[in-house]
Amino acid sequence: MQSLYEWDFNGREDKDLDPVTERNIKEFGSGLEEVDFIWDLVSGVKKNLKVIDEIIVKTAPEWPLEQINILDKNILRVGIYELLFGDKESVPPKVAINEAIELAKNFGGENSKKFVNGVLGTVFKGADEET
C-alpha cells in the first residue's frame, strides 16, 4: 500500500513503481522472508488499475475518483484487487476487507474506516452475487 501510495502521489509513472517497491521492501521489510506477496499485490493493482478504478467510481458515485484521499484510494485498490483478482485461498475475502479496514483505521482519516468498509462491502456483495 505504501508503494502504491507513493507511486500515485508522484503521478503514477509506470517506470517508477518497481524501484519504489524495491526501496520500500529494503527499508521497511527487513526480516520478511517472502516478498512475492508484495510483488503480486503491486503488479496486480498496476495491471488492473483501470478496471479497479472503474469499480471504485461505480461503487462510490458520490465521490469522484480525483477527490478521494490518495491513501483511501490505494487502500481500496489493494482491497478490490484481493477481492476480485487475488488468490482467495491465501487471502479470503473477509480477511482482505478486514485488513483494508485496519489500514484505513491506522493510517487514514476520521471517516476512512467507514468509507473503505462501505466500498469493499459493496464490491464483495456484488462479486458474491455474481458467483
Side-chain angles (χ1 to χ4, degrees):
M1 192 267 312
Q2 184 169 343
S3 297
L4 290 166
Y5 172 89
E6 187 175 336
W7 178 63
D8 197 17
F9 184 81
N10 290 314
R12 282 187 274 145
E13 299 223 9
D14 285 347
K15 65 185 184 310
D16 292 340
L17 186 56
D18 288 350
V20 166
T21 303
E22 188 69 45
R23 186 189 73 244
N24 284 332
I25 289 171
K26 285 180 185 172
E27 188 172 338
F28 302 109
S30 64
L32 287 177
E33 294 177 17
E34 194 61 44
V35 296
D36 290 344
F37 180 72
I38 295 168
W39 286 109
D40 288 344
L41 279 178
V42 168
S43 63
V45 168
K46 182 179 173 183
K47 176 182 173 192
N48 296 287
L49 186 66
K50 185 176 179 179
V51 172
I52 291 170
D53 282 355
E54 287 171 0
I55 291 167
I56 294 171
V57 168
K58 229 186 282 183
T59 310
E62 59 282 345
W63 285 94
L65 195 62
E66 60 277 354
Q67 289 182 6
I68 298 174
N69 174 301
I70 293 176
L71 181 69
D72 293 348
K73 190 178 345 179
N74 283 289
I75 291 170
L76 288 172
R77 286 172 173 159
V78 170
I80 291 170
Y81 172 76
E82 287 185 313
L83 286 174
L84 301 181
F85 304 101
D87 178 3
K88 288 167 188 53
E89 285 190 29
S90 295
V91 182
K94 290 185 181 184
V95 172
I97 293 171
N98 285 336
E99 288 174 351
I101 292 168
E102 283 301 311
L103 286 171
K105 186 167 57 172
N106 290 321
F107 300 106
E110 186 177 318
N111 296 317
S112 296
K113 175 183 160 185
K114 288 180 184 177
F115 181 65
V116 167
N117 186 33
V119 172
L120 293 182
T122 301
V123 171
F124 175 66
K125 287 177 189 166
D128 196 38
E129 289 172 4
E130 286 182 18
T131 57

